[in-house]
Amino acid sequence: MDTDLLSIEDLSVVIRRPGREVAALSGVTLRVGRGEVVGLVGESGGGKSMVARSIVGLLPGGSLASGAVRFEGDDVLRMDDDALRRHRGHGAAICFQNPRGALSPTRTVGRQLTDRLTTHQRLTGAEARKAAEEQFATVGIRSPRRRLDAYPHELSGGMAQRVMISLATGCAPGLLIADEPTTGLDVTLTREILRRFRLAADTDGRGVLLISHDLASIAGVCDRVVVLYAGTVVESGPAARVLGRPAHPYTRALLRSVPDVDGRAVVATPGAMPLLKAAPRDCPFAPRCAHATAACTSERPPVSWVPGAAGDWTLACFHPRTDELAREEPAAESSGRGGAAKEPVLEVDDAHVVYRSRFGTGGHAALRGVSLRVAAGETLGVVGESGCGKSTLAKLLLGLVPAARGDVRVAGSRMSALRGRELRRLRTRVQMVFQDPIGSLSPRRTVADAIAEPLRALGLSAARRAERVEALADRLKLDRSMLARHPHELSGGQAQRVCIARALAGEPDVLVFDEPTSALDVTVQAQILEVIADVVRDPARGSVFISHDLATVRGFADRVIVLYLGRIVEEGPVEEVFGNPRHPYTRALLSSAPSLGDGFSGPKITLTEDLDDTEAAGPGCPLAARCPFADDRCRTEEQELRPYGNTRAACRRVPEIPDLLKGSDIRV
Amino acid sequence: MSETVVVGTARAGRFATVLIVTGSVILAVVALAAVFAPLLTGWGPTEIDPLGTLVPPGPGHPLGTDANGMDVWSRLLHAGRLDLGIAVAGVAVAVVAGTALGLVAGYLGGWVDDVLMRVVDVFQAFPTFILALAVAALVGNGTGNLIAVIAAVNAPAYARLVRAEVRTVRESSFVAASVTSGASTFGVLWRHVLPNSLTPVRVIAPLNAGWAMLTLAGLSFLGLGVTVPAAEWGAMISLGSPDVVAGRWWTSVPPGLVLLICVLGFSLLGEGLQERAEAKRR
């Protein structure tokens, strides 16, 4: 027992706030050994962050905690201030979710690291600086000496997360806690960052607790996985077993809710995680569980060994599932609906968007010559990493930013030619579903008001509006009692249904989905994806589905465009692009897409360099600086989209790539 | 099962309510006393007692009389009408005007914003009280004029406050959603931007009303605000100031105390609203 680095025993935490109590954790037991990476997974509100906070003694003021959090035998819950301070420096360190928010903006990142070293390790300034430089180098920061003097805003997201990791590992803590370390990072970076945590465990014998809602991406680096639901541990065991052949119905629901690049269908589980006021006396998952019996609602299932399984695999369920998680076949072919033959409802011709700086003549070109067509009944997927111009494209389609060159036509009318009332009319023909559902609803307006907004612009009477709003609520399975509520009373899933209802209200010609599920919890995501799948099936309407997540796009789109730094690098039918990517960037994206199944099957390209868009501003191929195949001509010649089979790609070396790859993986 | 550990203390959420209730009660008492002043005293506010000036507090005059032979208690009660009335009305006008300016400047941006904000800069370049003195000297001292003075010196702060909020709110996706729903600019401003930009105004306005009372009393003390014989606390303090030195405290101290209590009431109310807004944000 005393070999465990961290051992949490029957930890319960009740958070008391005026007027309400929340049982954040109810009897959580878990351990992390030296050199071990343990994944803590589950949806928000499940108690993941509360576990992290309890380990570093940062529970919110006024909480009641019972049980024990033993770190090398000492109970963190009962440490005095001095012991706690030592524990935070040397014992356990935490890496926060939002690296830029967690770094102090007015101090150089080097200074933030040397501060820790001089405080906890009693190094002198010069020693600390030297040590900091080494630390930066170990986490993979290029030219570490120069970066020591950088401020957080000068770093890219991936670089900032590397700095965070070096801050956490700087004082050589025994345990590293990473709270959603890759949320908000691009897929090509996620792998690299997670690899750093694996390295921290393997080379230095640290324990790592990796908190994430994203099962697929952590699957490869974890030794063991602990699944939390409503503050209880529902399943815990070796990662390969828990994620490969889950026994608890909730774990199974989680796994089936995640779209995968291999194209398997998503199965949604109804309901949402409850927020408990007191420790549960029954199985908290019972109301959503298809296998629940009377026992599940009258008694809390005890933690027991998974029947017939070897190893350290436990779960809390009366009816563990032992069968293989059924692999659903890919959904019925969505393409070939004859969309291309129909009139295009949306056309973009060679559009350039430039954000000008307020003073002077400089500017940032967010889109550089993008052309696309969407026919009625067709869904176009748009994928790319942050900074590729996805959001700018969405704004352009909605007429929220003007095109510096080129044009947008909606149902045949040129957007730039219209003004005033006519422009407002045309705008109602394109509607968007936003990324942050609650943020896209006015906090002081009711749900009914929000849904009725486009109808108001169309000049419908109040009675007609109310009628239509109720019909839309029914269609999206929103309870009518919800219409009088305000956004803060809605869950994320409900709010996104409201946003979809609003987008549909005016019967638009084009629906734009801008990362509609990325702010939602995994099981809710699956429910919303079901709703969207139903909505995009309408033959009268064209849809644009924007996402950084290739797997999600694969489930919906007929055709896909891949954006990189404001340019289309590849375009084609979804199966073609996903099955046989022509452009090296598309291949790199697919290679790094997390998968619980087999993932992308062809030879992989892994990009380890962070994107640096200043290097890509030149005339040549924007990827040249990161591309393994780039030669001098790539760096100097503009790359245009050229047809290769059914797809088009902006890379002159496409025909040579199969030979260059020779069937093996490439890391750059 | 080991014993339970209590971690720190939660911040009492009731604190905000206590502040708000206390502040409101103080202000309600003063306001009611001003409205029902004739029921609480036999003397009119400008009625002169022929029997004497500077009579000490006693059976006939609970707080004595002033140098003009007017009943201090009666004047104290009646003065609340002018003091509270002008301060609250002035701040109300400032809120409406400032909010409108800030809304337009913040939402439209560009040259409209530049022009409006430079005007605001000019107003804010002077200390509030100096500006109030100048405007009061310019427009004269009727009740309406004094409301205008209070409004003019305070409106720029609201314009700035609201503009800053608007610039955040206009970037939110619910505004984008409204614009793409085909709503007119006015519709977006009125239904979405305005209601979501007023939180800081709600907090500042009561505090501001307290300061406005001080400004008004200050003007009156210097003879640029309400003038004797009209009953107003600042003017009363001014009239009684020579007497205090002579030991006749009852002419100046009571209006000073009432002024203090009122400003305290407004401050408590504002602090309470701020606490509540912060608690909500957590």
Side-chain angles (χ1 to χ4, degrees):
Chain A
M1 203 55 194
D2 52 10
T3 57
D4 281 339
L5 183 63
L6 174 79
S7 158
I8 296 181
E9 291 152 26
D10 196 30
L11 175 67
S12 295
V13 174
V14 176
I15 302 170
R16 292 185 303 174
R17 285 278 153 78
R20 67 198 162 102
E21 286 200 350
V22 178
L25 297 176
S26 310
V28 168
T29 298
L30 69 87
R31 56 184 181 74
V32 180
R34 292 184 176 80
E36 192 179 35
V37 180
V38 176
L40 188 59
V41 300
E43 296 174 277
S44 61
K48 302 190 299 285
S49 295
M50 211 49 73
V51 169
R53 298 179 76 149
S54 73
I55 300 170
V56 287
L58 279 177
L59 287 173
S63 333
L64 297 176
S66 65
V69 179
R70 286 190 208 289
F71 184 81
E72 294 181 323
D74 299 327
D75 189 353
V76 179
L77 293 180
R78 292 166 183 81
M79 279 182 185
D80 61 28
D81 284 354
D82 279 344
L84 206 49
R85 202 151 43 231
R86 270 195 305 280
H87 167 64
R88 285 174 188 154
H90 299 292
I94 192 162
C95 243
F96 290 100
Q97 175 171 3
N98 170 6
R100 283 198 220 191
L103 291 169
S104 173
T106 54
R107 286 172 90 74
T108 63
V109 290
R111 191 64 197 271
Q112 296 186 43
L113 178 52
T114 52
D115 277 352
R116 296 193 178 203
L117 297 172
T118 48
T119 310
H120 289 290
Q121 308 246 351
R122 311 229 173 274
L123 298 182
T124 65
E127 285 168 353
R129 201 172 153 87
K130 197 159 172 298
E133 196 183 320
E134 282 164 21
Q135 289 285 345
F136 273 21
T138 26
V139 292
I141 293 175
R142 273 186 297 168
S143 43
R145 184 187 297 256
R146 194 162 56 88
R147 293 295 184 189
L148 283 176
D149 298 316
Y151 287 92
H153 71 265
E154 298 173 289
L155 302 178
S156 65
M159 202 65 87
Q161 190 56 275
R162 286 170 207 256
V163 170
M164 260 328 277
I165 297 173
S166 78
L167 285 181
T169 55
C171 297
L175 178 71
L176 198 55
I177 304 159
D179 193 356
E180 304 268 6
T182 58
T183 307
L185 292 187
D186 290 328
V187 281
T188 52
L189 261 176
T190 298
R191 287 217 156 181
E192 173 62 15
I193 295 292
L194 289 175
R195 203 172 62 89
R196 294 283 158 197
F197 287 107
R198 184 71 251 181
L199 278 177
D202 290 345
T203 57
D204 308 328
R206 288 197 179 98
V208 176
L209 185 64
L210 202 53
I211 298 176
S212 182
H213 68 282
D214 186 355
L215 300 148
S217 52
I218 65 160
V221 293
C222 291
D223 299 306
R224 285 189 305 116
V225 170
V226 177
V227 185
L228 279 183
Y229 185 77
T232 64
V233 174
V234 294
E235 186 163 1
S236 154
R241 300 218 175 105
V242 173
L243 298 179
R245 206 184 168 113
H248 195 283
Y250 175 63
T251 317
R252 296 168 76 90
L254 264 186
L255 290 170
R256 298 165 82 155
S257 299
V258 191
D260 203 294
V261 272
D262 63 15
R264 77 175 82 155
V266 166
V267 181
T269 307
M273 178 151 48
L275 209 58
L276 300 177
K277 289 189 176 65
R281 291 212 188 85
D282 53 2
C283 173
F285 187 62
R288 302 172 70 187
C289 182
H291 311 289
T293 59
C296 301
T297 51
S298 59
E299 207 181 323
R300 184 164 163 192
V303 175
S304 55
W305 300 105
V306 170
D312 188 12
W313 189 2
T314 61
L315 88 169
C317 180
F318 290 120
H319 314 286
R321 318 303 303 168
T322 49
D323 52 320
E324 187 93 16
L325 186 64
R327 192 65 89 73
E328 305 281 331
E329 282 306 303
E333 286 298 298
S334 54
S335 60
R337 288 180 299 179
K342 288 196 186 172
E343 274 297 290
V345 285
L346 178 72
E347 287 168 282
V348 178
D349 270 331
D350 190 35
H352 293 247
V353 173
V354 180
Y355 291 117
R356 297 215 172 281
S357 45
R358 187 164 178 190
F359 299 105
T361 50
H364 166 69
L367 286 183
R368 316 174 195 196
V370 168
S371 303
L372 56 88
R373 284 160 61 96
V374 181
E378 190 188 34
T379 304
L380 177 72
V382 177
V383 294
E385 299 181 291
S386 55
C388 74
K390 302 186 296 270
S391 304
T392 304
L393 178 61
K395 283 185 182 167
L396 176 74
L397 299 182
L398 293 162
L400 292 176
V401 293
R405 214 166 83 202
D407 206 11
V408 178
R409 274 194 301 280
V410 178
S413 310
R414 285 176 56 209
M415 213 169 233
S416 59
L418 301 178
R419 291 282 178 275
R421 183 176 296 272
E422 280 166 345
L423 176 62
R424 296 215 306 271
R425 274 276 152 134
L426 188 63
R427 272 182 175 162
T428 64
R429 308 318 307 149
V430 187
Q431 291 292 294
M432 172 138 117
V433 176
F434 293 83
Q435 178 169 10
D436 169 18
I438 295 184
S440 66
L441 295 170
S442 180
R444 296 186 188 276
R445 295 274 145 196
T446 63
V447 165
D449 258 358
I451 300 177
E453 177 121 35
L455 303 173
R456 190 190 286 271
L458 293 174
L460 263 63
S461 70
R464 290 280 308 283
R465 289 205 299 261
E467 205 174 279
R468 184 100 181 88
V469 166
E470 287 190 348
L472 283 160
D474 292 348
R475 171 160 184 205
L476 287 151
K477 301 194 180 69
L478 279 166
D479 199 82
R480 286 196 186 177
S481 67
M482 230 166 267
L483 293 175
R485 295 205 193 156
H486 285 89
H488 67 91
E489 299 169 283
L490 304 177
S491 69
Q494 288 164 346
Q496 197 56 296
R497 282 172 200 265
V498 172
C499 292
I500 296 173
R502 172 175 62 188
L504 288 174
E507 297 285 349
D509 297 310
V510 181
L511 271 180
V512 180
F513 298 91
D514 185 9
E515 308 254 10
T517 57
S518 63
L520 301 174
D521 267 321
V522 177
T523 61
V524 177
Q525 211 173 65
Q527 295 163 12
I528 295 299
L529 288 176
E530 249 180 16
V531 173
I532 295 175
D534 178 49
V535 166
V536 299
R537 219 168 279 144
D538 191 329
R541 194 155 35 233
S543 305
V544 177
F545 193 100
I546 298 174
S547 180
H548 70 282
D549 182 13
L550 298 141
T552 316
V553 173
R554 177 160 203 182
F556 286 108
D558 302 305
R559 284 188 306 119
V560 187
I561 60 176
V562 181
L563 283 180
Y564 185 75
L565 293 178
R567 295 186 179 94
I568 294 179
V569 295
E570 183 156 357
E571 175 193 11
V574 68
E575 287 76 22
E576 193 71 19
V577 173
F578 278 69
N580 182 14
R582 299 308 208 291
H583 198 282
Y585 178 66
T586 315
R587 184 174 293 271
L589 268 186
L590 284 166
S591 305
S592 42
S595 175
L596 286 162
D598 310 324
F600 176 61
S601 51
K604 293 179 175 153
I605 298 178
T606 310
L607 304 176
T608 51
E609 293 286 322
D610 296 357
L611 173 103
D612 186 351
D613 52 7
T614 52
E615 288 173 19
C621 171
L623 188 68
R626 301 168 82 195
C627 180
F629 311 127
D631 59 17
D632 286 341
R633 280 182 61 196
C634 292
R635 281 182 264 275
T636 50
E637 284 175 25
E638 181 99 28
Q639 302 293 314
E640 281 175 5
L641 282 171
R642 281 169 246 230
Y644 296 105
N646 279 335
T647 64
R648 297 197 303 152
C651 176
R652 45 174 275 272
R653 304 199 70 181
V654 167
E656 308 163 55
I657 287 176
D659 290 337
L660 290 166
L661 281 166
K662 293 191 207 76
S664 59
D665 297 352
I666 290 186
R667 273 181 70 89
V668 266
Chain B
M1 181 91 180
S2 53
E3 89 283 16
T4 300
V5 184
V6 182
V7 186
T9 47
R11 196 182 170 87
R14 296 206 181 83
F15 186 53
T17 314
V18 171
L19 287 177
I20 293 172
V21 170
T22 315
S24 307
V25 167
I26 290 174
L27 294 172
V29 168
V30 177
L32 287 175
V35 171
F36 297 108
L39 303 178
L40 300 172
T41 170
W43 294 92
T46 52
E47 197 177 334
I48 293 174
D49 183 357
L51 292 177
T53 58
L54 294 171
V55 177
H61 300 286
L63 285 174
T65 62
D66 64 13
N68 296 327
M70 298 179 191
D71 182 67
V72 174
W73 171 241
S74 170
R75 289 175 65 73
L76 199 63
L77 294 174
H78 284 89
R81 296 178 176 184
L82 273 183
D83 275 287
L84 284 176
I86 293 176
V88 170
V91 170
V93 174
V95 165
V96 172
T99 301
L101 281 177
L103 200 58
V104 171
Y107 190 73
L108 295 183
W111 67 267
V112 178
D113 184 30
D114 286 337
V115 169
L116 289 176
M117 283 303 117
R118 292 304 78 77
V119 173
V120 164
D121 282 344
V122 170
F123 272 83
Q124 291 199 311
F126 301 98
T128 312
F129 195 71
I130 304 290
L131 184 65
L133 274 179
V135 180
L138 196 73
V139 298
N141 60 359
T143 305
N145 286 345
L146 286 170
I147 291 175
V149 170
I150 299 288
V153 299
N154 289 304
Y158 291 102
R160 211 166 262 294
L161 201 64
V162 170
R163 172 182 175 271
E165 278 303 293
V166 167
R167 288 179 68 91
T168 318
V169 171
R170 74 167 185 176
E171 298 304 327
S172 60
S173 37
F174 64 81
V175 168
S178 178
V179 170
T180 57
S181 296
S184 61
T185 303
F186 178 79
V188 175
L189 278 175
W190 182 252
R191 283 201 306 279
H192 299 290
V193 179
L194 179 64
N196 291 302
S197 306
L198 288 181
T199 310
V201 171
R202 266 188 279 270
V203 172
I204 297 295
L207 291 171
N208 196 201
W211 307 329
M213 290 189 68
L214 288 178
T215 307
L216 176 64
L219 288 176
S220 304
F221 184 87
L222 296 175
L224 283 164
V226 178
T227 44
V228 178
E232 196 278 338
W233 296 322
M236 288 170 72
I237 297 172
S238 175
L239 178 67
S241 54
D243 305 329
V244 177
V245 190
R248 291 185 284 267
W249 57 271
W250 59 87
T251 52
S252 278
V253 174
L257 281 178
V258 174
L259 199 55
L260 181 109
I261 287 170
C262 281
V263 176
L264 183 70
F266 279 120
S267 297
L268 291 176
L269 185 60
E271 290 285 340
L273 290 171
Q274 179 153 16
E275 281 281 326
R276 180 171 284 179
E278 269 169 24
K280 232 178 224 169
R281 212 173 299 141
R282 272 199 296 269

